[in-house]
Amino acid sequence: MVLVEVYTLGDSAGAGNSFAEPKTFKQAMKIPNWVASMKEEHQALKDAYTNDLLKPDGTIERCKSRLVAKGYDQLDGVDYTDTFSPVVNAPTIRTVLTIAASKGWQIQQLDVSNAFLHGQLNECVFMEQPSGFVVEGKEDYVCHLKKSLYGLKQAPRAWFQGFSGFLLQYGFQQSKCDHSLFIYNSPKGVMYLLLYVDDIILTGSLGTLLNSLISALSIEFKMKDLGSLYYFLGIEVTRNCHTNSLLLTQNKYCLELLVKDDMVDCKPCSTPVAKGTRCSLYDGDPLQDPLHYRSLVGGLQYLTMTRPDIDFVVSYVSQFMHKPTTAHLQLVKRILQYLKGSLGSGIVLGSSDISTVTAYSDSDWAGCPDSRRSTSGYAVFLGCSFISWTSKKQPTVSRSSAEAEYKSLANTSSEMLYAYTQTPLSWVSWSSS
C-alpha cells in the first residue's frame, strides 16, 4: 500500500500569461480560471470513479470491512523514483509524417482527456482528500484509489498498458523499434498511430479506417478529435496543398526561449557558432547561477526536433552542463542570436518519392581538447525528407581517424535500419555515403 499526497495542478493553456502560473494552492484559488479548471478536474475524477472515501481506520462506511495498513511498495532509493513515460521518438514522428505526406494520407490529431484516469491500478493505493474538495462531514476520511491518478508513479504505466492493450486487440502491431508506434496492416489498408503520453497522431491510407478507429477509441476512452494535424508537442505543422508536403517549425517555442533569456531584441547572427570554435571545460569563470545555463541548454535541446542546423552546437554546449562557465554561456548566447535571425525556419517532409533511405556520416578525430575523444554525426533521409540526425561525442577514444570514422559509420547504419523498419519493406531501398 502507498500513501500519497494530492497536489492540484493544471494546464497553462488558455489561462492567461503562461509565464505567471500560480505556485501554490492559495494563489490558484484567487484566480477564477484556475478555480474553474480545478473544479472540472475534480468532477472528472468523480465521473471516472477514481476513488472511494474511507474512514480513518481504513474501513468503507457501507461495508465496514476494509482495514488499511500503512506500508510502502515503492522504496526511496530502490524503485520509488522509477517512472515509465510512453513517448514516441522524434525520428519516428518525422518518418511517419513523411510517409503520410508523400502518400497524400489524411493526418488526424487526437487528445485523451484525463488519460491517466483510464489506467487500472494493480496496487492498493490510498491518498488524502485534495485541498479545497474535502467532503463535508467526512474531513478525516481518506481516498482509496481504484484507478490511476496524475502524480502516481504507477499512472503512466497503467495508462499505457490499458491503451496499448486496446490497440492490440483491435488488430494493431506494436513496433519493435519504438514501442509508442502502432501499425495496423490489413487488406483494407494501413494505419499508423503515434502515442506521446496522451497526445496521438493517427494516419492511414483510407479515411473510413481512421473514422472507425476514432469511433472505437471514443467509446473506450474519453477522446477529443482535434481534426487535421496542425500543432503537436510545440511543433507547428503546415501542409502545402500544392506540393503535398509538411513544414514543421517551432517558431512559438523559439520565441519563448528568447523571451526567457531577454534576448528578443538581441543582434542576430548568421551562424550558430563561430568558425573554428573549440572550448575547454576550464575556459572562463564558473557561473554563479549554473541552473540558468542548464535551463537554456535544455530548452535548446528540444528545439532540435525541427532545427538540425543547431544540433551540433547544442550537443557541444550540453557537454558543459555539470560545471558551466562564462565562456560556455557566450556560446549559448550566440545560438540565441542565430535563432533571432532565423525565426520561422524548420524542415520540410514528404515532398518527394520515399523509395530510398540515404544516410551521410562524418567524424573528426580527437576533437575534444580535454578528453581527446572524437565527435561523430550522421544525417538520414527518407527520399528527400530529412528524418533523423545527430552530433555526439564518441564514448571512447579512437586511436586513428579511420577508427573514428568506422564508429560513426556503425551508428549511422544502425539508424538507417531503424528508419527502414518503420516503413513497408516493399517501398524502400537504401544506400549510404
Side-chain angles (χ1 to χ4, degrees), residues 60-92:
I60 301 176
E61 183 177 17
R62 286 170 294 180
C63 299
K64 298 184 179 181
S65 60
R66 177 181 288 275
L67 179 66
V68 179
K70 293 182 179 180
Y72 296 89
D73 289 332
Q74 297 169 298
L75 301 177
D76 190 15
V78 179
D79 63 356
Y80 184 76
T81 58
D82 291 347
T83 59
F84 172 76
S85 184
V87 294
V88 65
N89 293 325
T92 305

Side-chain angles (χ1 to χ4, degrees), residues 125-172:
V125 182
F126 299 91
M127 70 177 189
E128 297 177 355
Q129 296 185 58
S131 301
F133 297 96
V134 177
V135 178
E136 186 177 354
K138 299 181 179 180
E139 291 81 3
D140 52 355
Y141 281 45
V142 294
C143 297
H144 173 213
L145 293 184
K146 298 186 293 183
K147 293 186 179 180
S148 61
L149 188 67
Y150 290 95
L152 288 178
K153 300 296 182 181
Q154 301 96 329
R157 183 185 72 245
W159 150 245
F160 186 76
Q161 287 177 343
F163 188 78
S164 60
F166 173 83
L167 291 179
L168 295 176
Q169 289 182 354
Y170 193 87
F172 279 83

Side-chain angles (χ1 to χ4, degrees), residues 12 15-23 27 31 34:
S12 62
N17 187 353
S18 61
F19 300 102
E21 294 183 356
K23 303 298 182 183
Q27 292 177 4
I31 305 174
W34 283 91

Side-chain angles (χ1 to χ4, degrees), residues 25 81 102 134 169 184-185 240 253-254 269 332 371 388 399:
F25 174 75
T81 58
S102 64
V134 177
Q169 289 182 354
Y184 180 88
N185 198 347
N240 189 321
Y253 180 76
C254 186
C269 288
V332 175
S371 64
S388 183
R399 290 166 291 186

Side-chain angles (χ1 to χ4, degrees), residues 248-266:
L248 307 187
T249 60
Q250 290 174 279
N251 193 49
K252 180 177 179 293
Y253 180 76
C254 186
L255 283 171
E256 290 175 353
L257 288 180
L258 293 173
V259 170
K260 184 178 181 180
D261 199 49
D262 197 21
M263 295 279 288
V264 175
D265 299 322
C266 68

Side-chain angles (χ1 to χ4, degrees), residues 45 50 84-86 112-121 147-152 154-160 197-198:
L45 301 182
T50 307
F84 172 76
S85 184
V112 185
S113 301
N114 308 108
F116 287 175
L117 305 185
H118 294 289
Q120 296 291 338
L121 287 175
K147 293 186 179 180
S148 61
L149 188 67
Y150 290 95
L152 288 178
Q154 301 96 329
R157 183 185 72 245
W159 150 245
F160 186 76
V197 187
D198 58 354

Side-chain angles (χ1 to χ4, degrees), residues 48 55 282 313 344 349:
K55 286 188 173 181
Y282 311 103
V313 65
L349 302 177

